[in-house]
Amino acid sequence: MKTGKLIVFTGPSGVGKGTLLRKLLMQHPELVLSISVTTRSPRPGEINGIDYYFVNVEKFQQMVADEELLEWAEFAGNYYGTPRLQVEDLISQGKWVILEIELEGARQIRRTFPQALRLFILPPSLWELEQRIRRRGTETEEAITKRLRRAQEEINAANEFDIQIVNDDLDKALENLEAALFVPC
Ligand SMILES: Nc1ncnc2c1ncn2[C@@H]1O[C@H](COP(=O)(O)OP(=O)(O)OP(=O)(O)O)[C@@H](O)[C@H]1O
Ligand SMILES: Nc1nc2c(ncn2[C@@H]2O[C@H](COP(=O)(O)O)[C@@H](O)[C@H]2O)c(=O)[nH]1
């Protein structure tokens, strides 16, 4: 039977994690992206159960109390967490499961799943990161400020991760990501 694997994918808001992962999953449909729970409001076009499980703060706190989350964190004013059961089930079935999560969650996973492969995505510059968040057009000015403040802190921790990939040219970053994941035995 194939061995399951946990892959952690972290990087500052707006660096292009979601964009890279969408491309990766189109080319490697055998990989599974874990769907997180969040108290953030859906962005236009986001669908409950596909992009996130959108819940209120009370429900999120109940999930924490019931130990239903593998990891969780507060990020820029909202809570985010990984449902434990879905991930543990998939790994026990031999799947490769990707968690797209922020730094505090990645640190928790390092303690509970030390065997997980942890990747950090870097922007070519802070200026470009800010342009990307602004061009995406999904955040208020207040949220952009919070996310950019947090970005510097996250970038400072990039060396805690097994692999760092700069997302400058998207195709090149995807190539580097594939090389990191599919190391020939
Ligand atoms: N290599 C790239 N060059 C230019 N623009 C990019 C690149 N990669 C992603 N983008 C753009 O940057 C914006 C942010 O990308 P994305 O939403 O994937 O970031 P993210 O890291 O998932 O952010 P968050 O953590 O806030 O969800 C999007 O508009 C996307 O199209
Ligand atoms: N610790 C966790 N972080 C998560 C999870 N799901 C997403 N995230 C991270 O939150 C920020 C903001 O996401 P956004 O969708 O509001 O832009 C980003 O860094 C995500 O990677 C999770 O389950 N746990």
Side-chain angles (χ1 to χ4, degrees), residues 24-56:
L24 180 75
L25 290 166
M26 278 200 321
Q27 293 185 19
H28 301 278
E30 74 279 12
L31 300 174
V32 187
L33 181 61
S34 163
I35 302 172
S36 297
V37 179
T38 184
T39 60
R40 150 165 100 56
S41 304
R43 293 175 184 143
E46 283 185 330
I47 298 171
N48 188 41
I50 292 185
D51 299 288
Y52 278 105
Y53 298 107
F54 295 99
V55 298
N56 59 29

Side-chain angles (χ1 to χ4, degrees), residues 10-18 40 43 52 75-76 80 100-103 120-121 123 125-126 128-134 136 138-139 143-152 154-155:
T10 301
S13 177
V15 72
K17 301 180 295 296
R40 150 165 100 56
R43 293 175 184 143
Y52 278 105
F75 181 91
Y80 297 82
E100 190 215 311
I101 59 177
E102 54 66 69
L103 178 62
F120 194 92
I121 310 301
S125 66
L126 275 176
E128 172 62 15
L129 181 70
E130 181 167 351
Q131 303 315 304
R132 287 185 192 174
I133 301 184
R134 291 191 181 285
R136 189 171 67 187
T138 51
E139 258 59 48
I144 290 174
T145 305
K146 282 188 188 161
R147 283 168 183 250
L148 288 174
R149 205 176 295 138
R150 181 75 176 249
Q152 186 62 66
E154 298 209 303
I155 289 169

